[in-house]
Amino acid sequence: MSRLLAIDCSAGACSVALAEEGEIRAAARLRLTRGHSEVILPMVERVLAEAGCTADSLDAVAATVGPGSFTGLRIGLAAARGLALAVGARTVPVTSLEALAHAAGPADTPLLAALDSKRGDLFCQWFDGAGRPVDVPSVRLAADAVALAPAPAFRSAGDAADAVTDAAAPAGKTVTVEADCEVPDAVSVAAVAAVRLAAGGEGPLRPLYLRAPAVNLPAS
């Protein structure tokens, strides 16, 4: 039996999901902007208990590697790496934008997965209607991201939907905002990771920051 635990702390939420043979057995999610470090490990324990299993029974641990909140990513990746190392589980990286695209689901129109970088632009990536990536994760202004739309009508997922919507009209584009897809969720992370793991896509949990954090280090 393949048992996989997924963790997400990449944006304005903290979530954990446990999947067996690709089916979600237990999950928990809490919306918050800070305090991920106090929440994540107790949430892991609750999800494992709800699923009726222990950490040492895990075959793999998946986590969102970014882009997203610098602090949140560090917390989520540290928890996932530590757990995987402790129990000898494989690791599976999933980007936050892949998780958003999975949550949005397939449709006839392309999808722009976009998260607010909190610095006036977006972490974003285009996907086709089937959820396959069209380009790579990048940092763009909303107008520049919308200008790359592969069709006149498209969908948007992520907490940057307002900025995407504001940029769509001047560009002559029509955008539909996907409901319940504001931030990545571990349920989608688990689903993406299960498919990836089955195809031999395990790998190290390395952060995808896209740019340096907005922190000034003290002079040495």
Side-chain angles (χ1 to χ4, degrees):
M1 177 181 293
S2 176
R3 185 172 285 160
L4 180 148
L5 185 81
I7 293 173
D8 173 72
C9 296
S10 63
C14 185
S15 59
V16 176
L18 189 286
E20 288 184 355
E21 302 299 336
E23 297 294 325
I24 300 299
R25 286 283 307 279
R29 184 187 189 196
L30 180 65
R31 292 295 297 268
L32 75 172
T33 57
R34 61 184 63 187
H36 295 72
S37 60
E38 289 81 12
V39 171
I40 185 60
L41 292 181
M43 187 175 287
V44 167
E45 292 176 354
R46 290 198 305 273
V47 168
L48 287 172
E50 183 180 340
C53 62
T54 58
D56 59 8
S57 69
L58 295 174
D59 298 297
V61 178
T64 40
V65 296
S69 160
F70 181 77
T71 301
L73 286 173
R74 289 175 61 193
I75 292 167
L77 289 174
R81 286 168 174 166
L83 181 59
L85 181 63
V87 302
R90 292 172 287 174
T91 56
V92 188
V94 176
T95 73
S96 53
L97 302 174
E98 287 177 316
L100 287 173
H102 178 273
D108 295 330
T109 54
L111 174 80
L112 177 62
L115 292 168
D116 185 354
S117 74
K118 312 301 182 186
R119 294 173 67 176
D121 48 24
L122 317 177
F123 298 129
C124 58
Q125 185 177 13
W126 279 100
F127 295 83
D128 65 16
R132 296 181 294 257
V134 173
D135 56 9
V136 298
S138 59
V139 181
R140 300 184 188 276
L141 295 173
D144 294 337
V146 168
L148 296 175
F154 66 92
R155 299 171 295 144
S156 176
D159 63 6
D162 287 346
V164 171
T165 300
D166 289 344
K173 308 290 185 181
T174 301
V175 58
T176 300
V177 177
E178 292 288 345
D180 301 321
C181 293
E182 292 184 4
V183 294
D185 187 274
V187 169
S188 287
V189 176
V192 173
V195 173
R196 184 159 293 159
L197 188 64
E202 64 185 88
L205 299 177
R206 297 193 182 105
L208 177 65
Y209 292 132
L210 295 185
R211 64 181 174 199
V215 176
N216 294 320
L217 297 178
S220 57

